[in-house]
Amino acid sequence: MIVLAIDPGSVTAGYALLQKDGRKINYIASGILKFKSEDEFLHRIKDIFDQTSALVDKFEPDEIALESLIFVKSPQALIKLAQSRGTMLAALTQKYHEKIFEYSPNLVKQTVTGHGHADKEGVQKVLGQLLGLKDFKTHDESDAVAIALCHLLNHNITRIDIPKKKKTSSKKMGNGLAGALAHKIKENV
């Protein structure tokens, strides 16, 4: 199985391809996508979509793994990151509708280093030890390699079927916490 991992960004995004063959994990490629930073952000959207589409067309992975959104101090940066990630997802879902997975930054770090709050240098050091990789162009690239490794190591764990939400009567209980816990309230009465 070949996984393409992407560390989303609005100016640059890291990507990595790893292959799992039995119990062995092989490095295929990694790098960064650079988007036209001189353009206004909204003008970059097409470039983000096109480069993401070209990436999957070039490598034809079996599955896709992305890092979930992270907390950032600037609301504007978070909005741009979310829009960039959404654009990438739009490009990816055309061919990989049910083959896209996401991982929190802490889970990626925990899986790769054993510590969920490891710094980027610690992640790079472990990737060097495990995969023999040392010269990353940016942290985006090493993060993408870590996301791919996390996916391959957690692959069978992450396939979770979420049951469809039961409809509860919202007339008496409302749509808030009471509505969500209506079934528990009725059981205890």
Side-chain angles (χ1 to χ4, degrees):
M1 175 181 53
I2 296 174
V3 62
L4 168 65
I6 300 176
D7 181 30
S10 62
V11 177
T12 61
Y15 71 88
L17 278 100
L18 297 181
Q19 178 183 32
K20 187 171 186 180
D21 186 16
R23 295 182 69 186
K24 187 175 181 183
I25 295 176
N26 300 308
Y27 170 84
I28 298 172
S30 63
I32 56 171
L33 302 175
K34 290 184 181 181
F35 309 119
K36 298 174 185 172
S37 61
E38 65 276 359
D39 288 347
E40 286 289 320
F41 175 72
L42 290 176
H43 298 141
R44 262 184 262 157
I45 296 293
K46 182 176 180 347
D47 190 33
I48 293 168
F49 186 93
D50 291 345
Q51 285 196 49
T52 303
S53 296
L55 189 65
V56 294
D57 289 344
K58 177 180 178 180
F59 291 110
E60 298 181 346
D62 299 310
E63 294 181 344
I64 309 288
L66 290 119
E67 187 170 72
S68 61
L69 285 177
I70 58 171
F71 173 78
V72 293
K73 293 180 182 177
S74 164
Q76 288 182 330
L78 179 60
I79 290 167
K80 286 180 181 178
L81 177 61
Q83 290 173 330
S84 299
R85 189 173 180 275
T87 301
M88 291 176 179
L89 284 168
L92 296 168
T93 56
Q94 292 186 13
K95 291 184 180 179
Y96 295 92
H97 174 62
E98 292 186 1
K99 296 180 180 184
I100 300 173
F101 301 83
E102 68 175 354
Y103 299 92
S104 72
N106 286 351
L107 178 61
V108 171
K109 293 173 187 175
Q110 175 69 38
T111 301
V112 173
T113 69
H115 180 51
H117 296 286
D119 61 14
K120 298 206 180 264
E121 287 73 21
V123 171
Q124 288 181 353
K125 182 178 179 182
V126 173
L127 292 174
Q129 293 169 342
L130 294 175
L131 300 171
L133 305 174
K134 295 184 180 174
D135 297 321
F136 295 104
K137 294 175 190 87
T138 67
H139 289 303
D140 296 324
E141 181 182 6
S142 60
D143 287 353
V145 174
I147 295 164
L149 183 59
C150 175
H151 176 69
L152 291 175
L153 295 174
N154 289 299
H155 180 259
N156 292 330
I157 298 170
T158 58
R159 290 184 182 254
I160 300 171
D161 290 327
I162 299 172
K164 291 184 180 178
K165 186 176 177 179
K166 292 181 182 178
K167 291 187 177 184
T168 59
S169 173
S170 60
K171 291 178 184 174
K172 293 181 183 176
M173 295 299 188
N175 290 326
L177 182 60
L181 298 174
H183 66 285
K184 290 289 185 187
I185 294 170
K186 289 178 184 176
E187 287 175 5
N188 292 331
V189 175

